[in-house]
Amino acid sequence: MADDLFKALADPTRRTILDELAEKSGQTLFEICARLSMKHRLGISRQGVSQHLAVLEAAGLVETRREGRYKFHDLNTAPLRQITERWPTPDTPGPEEPTP
């Protein structure tokens, strides 16, 4: 799973899609494409965005749900938490303050 996660995060377009889902979760493919085009000036096809979403979904970063004809995409940050738990940083004390 970690390989899929790092592969998904390696691409700048996929990171932009994650940024957009962090800002507004529950978007359709149409909404994501519109935001990438208008806000980020990315000239990417719907099929290209769909392929990026498939990689993000395989990595567990995006979850989908269907409501009628629509498929909504939601950000899932749980895999990112797993990375931070895998390599925890030791608590380092701050600089010592002089005693008066």
Side-chain angles (χ1 to χ4, degrees):
M1 176 174 201
D3 291 340
D4 289 342
L5 182 60
F6 288 116
K7 176 186 171 188
L9 293 172
D11 186 274
T13 301
R14 288 193 282 269
R15 291 192 305 268
T16 302
I17 291 170
L18 291 174
D19 289 341
E20 286 303 319
L21 290 175
E23 188 174 310
K24 181 179 182 269
S25 199
Q27 295 184 59
T28 64
L29 176 60
F30 177 80
E31 291 173 303
I32 294 168
C33 289
R35 290 174 71 105
L36 292 176
S37 175
M38 301 297 273
K39 186 175 175 184
H40 300 280
R41 305 282 189 232
L42 293 177
I44 185 169
S45 68
R46 286 174 53 100
Q47 181 179 5
V49 173
S50 182
Q51 290 172 348
H52 282 300
L53 286 167
V55 172
L56 293 168
E57 189 173 1
L61 292 167
V62 170
E63 296 178 341
T64 59
R65 58 189 160 81
R66 285 209 176 264
E67 292 181 19
R69 304 174 26 179
Y70 299 100
K71 183 177 181 181
F72 296 93
H73 301 84
D74 297 294
L75 177 64
N76 178 22
T77 58
L80 299 174
R81 285 190 298 275
Q82 291 172 358
I83 290 174
T84 61
E85 291 168 0
R86 182 174 178 175
W87 294 295
T89 57
D91 291 333
T92 55
E96 293 184 27
E97 295 183 23
T99 54

